[in-house]
Amino acid sequence: QRLKRVMDAWCALWFWPLTGDEVTPPTWAAWISALQMILGVEPKLRADRRRGADDQVLSPADVWDSLAEQESFLLAGANAKPIDQVLDLHPWLRVCEQVAVEQGFFHWPLEFAPVFGRGGFDLQVGNPPWVRPRGDVAALLAEGDPWWALTDKPSQQDIHARRAATLTLPGIADTVTAGDSATTATAAFVGAPANFPVLESLQPDFYRCFMAMTWAHNSGQGSVGLVHPETHFTDERAAQLRGATYPRLRRHWSFINELKLFGEIDNHVSYGVHVYAQPGRVRFRQASGLYHPETVTGSLRHSGDGAAPGIKVDGHWDLRPHAQRIETVTDNTLAVWRDILDPDLADPRQTRMVYTVNRDVADTLAQLAHGRRLGDLGLQFSRGWDESVDRTKGYFVQRWGVPETWDDVILQGPHLFVATPLYKQPNPALKSNKDWSETDFETLAPDAIPATSYKPAGDPARYDRDYTHWDGVPARSQYRLTWRRMAANTGERTLIPAIIPPGAAHVNAVLEAHFPHGVGDLVLAAGRLSSLLADFAVRAVPKGDIYPSVIERQSIPPRDHPLLPQLALRTLRLNCVTGAYADLWGECWSDEFARDSWISTDHVFCNLGDVGPRWSASTPLRRAADRRQALVEIDALVALMLGVTPDQLCTVYRTQFAVLYGYDHNEYTYDANGRIVPNPVLVAWRRMGDAITHDDRTHTNQASVKYTYELPFRTYDREHDMRVAYAEVESRIRHGEGGPPTGA
């Protein structure tokens, strides 16, 4: 009990209360004095006196009385004091007692002393909290004033005024102080290297604390089974933790909660079942992209026959077991992951984890580890305006409208899609972050400027001065590569890149890159990142956000590759959607563009090479079918340039892009004019077939443009189209027919 009192006190000092009676915390000297009084000081006994109470043999009949007598003897010999006397001399200990009752400190080695005396636990199983200690002052203020919970996105002025008023309510100041300080103290405790050294410099997360704790409590032959999140496998800062994790892992099954096996958490949440043992050589079995545990048990028994599984099959999550799902990870595997993700990392055991749904796509990802990286081009990055902080500082305000010039444009994530600026525009009502409408590129004006939800505010000179500059040059004066920062790892696409024109700014839901060696590098990067293979390389290391390091590690073809002009033309015709891109088009113009043609002409509605050196309204690809075909051909070109086979490319598409695969087969239906058939028309057609009436085929789209969709309606087979494009490019190069000259 005395030892527990000391251990409770040490923990309680982290949680020292900021409310209630004021008691001074102990000095170092007071702390040592209290410990000596509680535990005593080891007496310096002569050798012939060391035999005594320590050597008593206890019989079952008097064991408890004898133990009490022995303890009293030892404490008296150590000059320990009665507890009441200690508490009177050190009143801060009474505060520690109160804190210990509130916090419920649990000291494992003390509570399970016999277990630790034998070396630790042989088996530990659990589902630790998936929680980060984060404060929520608004929730605490709502205890006294419901306004804090009911008001949606109040202004900073209203927040400051309301906070001052709420804190004057009886007891609220103490409630807020106590609640917020408890969270802050918890974060400090679990984040302290003295408590969890393997978690040093990481953001506190309770599941990581339990990982470290169970490892410390494990016996020499013990096993640990935990269900917990896996953010440490992809967190750049968690290298030290990964270095401690990989040698301990024996089994790793990575799940996505789409089947709601954990009903209380979001269906997009990922987690893993992890089996740990004492550290040794790296060798563990793992599977990713799982939805049900029976898939694991079945895969362990599977013969290996049949096609490799993916994420979805026939519109449903793919639960089919297959031996291809199981991968054995060794130090050699970690070295490959290191080469893919962190080529400058010295220790492969600290590399981030690669998640692939089967061994075939794992091999494809390894193929992408070779060659140059985008980071070799000397990129410079910007996060634009901080959507919260810079709005509070008055750089911009929330107000819908179409700006007069690109200098007043502030882009958000939904403005962009793959190789598509101006993809969507916010609606005037701004009801939610989903209240956006798609752009109709067939009718998009050459001088079009997108509607925005944010507008510059305050001094224009301050606005210009404080936005990013690179080497003294304003970022907004240049064409830039942008992408959505937030990653939808299981959505239609994860990596969403597009080129934006000079003048435009953006909030930090979008990130941007500048290419100091010219727009040629910019267009190369935009084309490369628009490919399925780039997207695959991103979602194979699932994260919530796509930061510059993810972009820099993407592989790129050699500078003199003969297919680069073909990649550039398709990339430019997708991105250069208005006259704001005229300078980019002119600077990138090559005579090779006019001699280029579609690789496959099964379903296209314009001549790819029918362009000139000056941008015009016919420069951008406007029909949906043409834009799709350009992306398909970019996929084939990039695959061929990087040495990926058509089988590998199609396996990646089929198994890693379940949502896109489903849309291609069920949703993306094109009419005879290459337009995507909208859902109301599609529903009527599926009900009536080709007997659908003229009125049922007529629909006004989100851009307020009315079309009559012409029969026949059909879906396109992306896998077939990629194979055809790949084979045709190979044939052109092999026979020197229609391909660009070497060195172009």
Side-chain angles (χ1 to χ4, degrees), residues 312 317 490-492 539 656-664:
K312 274 191 172 182
W317 300 113
T490 58
E492 178 181 2
R539 63 171 57 191
Q656 299 294 118
F657 291 87
V659 175
L660 176 61
Y661 186 90
Y663 287 168
D664 282 339

Side-chain angles (χ1 to χ4, degrees), residues 639-715:
L640 199 150
M641 286 191 281
L642 296 179
V644 173
T645 69
D647 285 342
Q648 289 176 313
L649 174 61
C650 290
T651 299
V652 165
Y653 161 65
R654 187 176 59 254
T655 64
Q656 299 294 118
F657 291 87
V659 175
L660 176 61
Y661 186 90
Y663 287 168
D664 282 339
H665 286 77
N666 303 298
E667 302 297 327
Y668 292 153
T669 303
Y670 296 81
D671 80 340
N673 294 315
R675 299 185 179 112
I676 289 184
V677 180
N679 192 59
V681 177
L682 198 57
V683 169
W685 176 65
R686 286 170 175 166
R687 185 177 67 252
M688 295 183 285
D690 288 351
I692 184 174
T693 67
H694 179 276
D695 287 346
D696 285 330
R697 290 189 287 108
T698 302
H699 178 75
T700 300
N701 63 21
Q702 293 181 339
S704 301
V705 181
K706 181 183 288 188
Y707 290 112
T708 297
Y709 296 88
E710 302 296 341
L711 296 169
F713 296 167
R714 58 180 295 197
T715 57

